[in-house]
Amino acid sequence: MPFLALAIAAIVAAAVHYSIVFPRQPFKGPLPELSAAQTDLAARLQTHVTAIASTPHNIDHYAELEAAAAYIETTLKGFGYTPTAHVFEVDGHDVRNIEIVFEPTTATPNPPCIVIGAHYDSADDVPGANDNGSAVACALELAHVLATFKPADYRLRLAFWVNEEAPYGKSPDMGSWQHAKTLKDAGENIAGMIALETLGYFSNEPGSQQFPKPFNLVYSNVGNFVAFVGLPGSRAFLRKALASFRSNTPFPSIGGVAPGFLEGIDLSDHWAFHQFGFPAIMITDTAPFRNPYYHELNDLPENVDYQSLARITTGIEKMTRELAV
């Protein structure tokens, strides 16, 4: 029996070591005041969320889905890009992913590639301001500040995907699945993929955060952090991304890797890239484990925390510059 107990304890310790990034949440204390640039950024983020996610937008609300896509394309063009639309048909409708690509300055055959993106459709009859207008706004402002960015050795793909929500999620009709398949078929050298997912709801109240078991035994019940969540095979990439974010961003953050059968772990576009063997993670406010407006009619622009979203966007920008050097 003592041997069995030791063996079980060793297995548990190994699983914890593999899954959880320590320290669990290193940043503590009051957040610094927003800089003037971040205050302006928060206002721009609110403009994007309001434009994209004031009404439901998905295939059942096709005109609104097209309007969201057009807004993304027009905004990117205003930043000086020529976005590429990848069109495919679902249920008799033409839908599209939207992408901009930063090529490396070093002439390397099939360079390593970082993919960062967000889905721009909403669920059912929900406006989807936080899910996923907040992340789309973050991705748009990432494009804005990276307009003159020239990676040396990496290719950077910044994408806006359609059809993450039901009934298309976890199917070939998912925009990120279509994108991942295209990259796999082309032999793209994907070093890592990051899905930006629901980034705009935070609380300092005890009990505001829930977790799927067993993570409820490990992490705080205060929902004031952003989470880096990885599927198996993404551990090294997640740790690299989270270390960069933490070194540049005074904002609470946690990180962990877990199999998809645990509740909520694979509920975003990183699932699609994982299906093709790519290291894939999600950055999120944890959505249904915190936000009372998740998939509800009052997921509206006025319920997004734009100051926190601005802080996170700044951190993701700096992280991106370090990952895609």
Side-chain angles (χ1 to χ4, degrees):
M1 288 296 292
F3 174 79
L4 178 60
L6 286 172
I8 293 172
I11 292 170
V12 170
V16 169
H17 175 74
Y18 178 85
S19 297
I20 298 171
V21 178
F22 290 95
R24 288 174 294 173
Q25 191 180 115
F27 181 84
K28 294 183 179 180
L31 299 175
E33 293 292 323
L34 288 185
S35 66
Q38 286 178 318
T39 299
D40 291 342
L41 172 59
R44 295 196 303 272
L45 290 165
Q46 184 168 7
T47 296
H48 297 321
V49 172
T50 302
I52 295 164
S54 291
T55 58
H57 46 289
N58 47 53
I59 285 181
D60 286 341
H61 301 273
Y62 185 68
E64 291 80 2
L65 181 67
E66 283 291 292
Y71 179 87
I72 292 167
E73 291 168 331
T74 299
T75 302
L76 292 173
K77 290 174 183 176
F79 297 154
Y81 297 102
T82 303
T84 300
H86 302 277
V87 180
F88 58 103
E89 184 178 330
V90 177
D91 290 343
H93 293 279
D94 284 341
V95 294
R96 63 191 181 276
N97 296 326
I98 301 162
E99 183 182 39
I100 57 175
V101 182
F102 302 77
E103 293 291 352
T105 57
T106 303
T108 304
N110 198 17
C113 178
I114 302 292
V115 181
I116 302 178
H119 74 88
Y120 65 89
D121 59 310
S122 70
D124 303 320
D125 294 325
V126 174
N130 194 40
D131 183 16
N132 199 32
S134 62
V136 173
C138 173
L140 283 172
E141 283 303 312
L142 190 59
H144 188 186
V145 295
L146 292 177
T148 60
F149 178 56
K150 297 185 183 300
D153 299 315
Y154 278 73
R155 175 180 290 139
L156 173 63
R157 294 182 177 273
L158 186 59
F160 300 83
W161 299 298
V162 72
N163 285 5
E164 186 268 355
E165 300 287 0
Y168 306 111
K170 293 189 176 181
S171 83
D173 290 332
M174 194 177 188
S176 51
W177 194 98
Q178 292 283 329
H179 191 199
K181 183 179 187 302
T182 297
L183 298 179
K184 184 72 172 182
D185 290 347
E188 189 94 2
N189 180 16
I190 304 298
M193 175 271 190
I194 300 172
L196 305 177
E197 179 69 54
T198 60
L199 292 172
Y201 190 86
F202 301 89
S203 174
N204 288 311
E205 293 299 319
S208 58
Q209 180 68 48
Q210 307 298 317
F211 280 100
K213 297 178 180 180
F215 295 108
N216 59 319
L217 304 175
V218 177
Y219 293 115
S220 167
N221 68 353
V222 178
N224 64 348
F225 56 85
V226 65
F228 286 57
V229 180
L231 289 162
S234 66
R235 181 174 183 262
F237 179 65
L238 183 145
R239 287 172 178 262
K240 184 178 180 180
L242 181 56
S244 176
F245 182 86
R246 285 177 167 177
S247 69
N248 289 295
T249 314
F251 195 89
S253 58
I254 68 170
V257 176
F261 62 76
L262 291 175
E263 184 184 2
I265 296 297
D266 63 355
L267 291 182
S268 190
D269 296 287
H270 62 308
W271 172 90
F273 278 73
H274 178 72
Q275 303 312 299
F276 292 91
F278 298 137
I281 69 173
M282 162 178 63
I283 304 178
T284 180
D285 66 11
T286 77
F289 297 101
R290 178 189 304 172
N291 188 348
Y293 309 128
Y294 177 75
H295 284 193
E296 298 290 340
L297 296 179
N298 51 359
D299 184 9
L300 293 163
E302 57 263 34
N303 292 325
V304 173
D305 178 350
Y306 295 102
Q307 290 195 359
S308 292
L309 183 58
R311 298 177 197 276
I312 292 167
T313 300
T314 300
I316 291 173
E317 175 215 340
K318 294 176 180 179
M319 177 197 73
T320 300
R321 291 181 184 273
E322 290 189 352
L323 290 177
V325 292

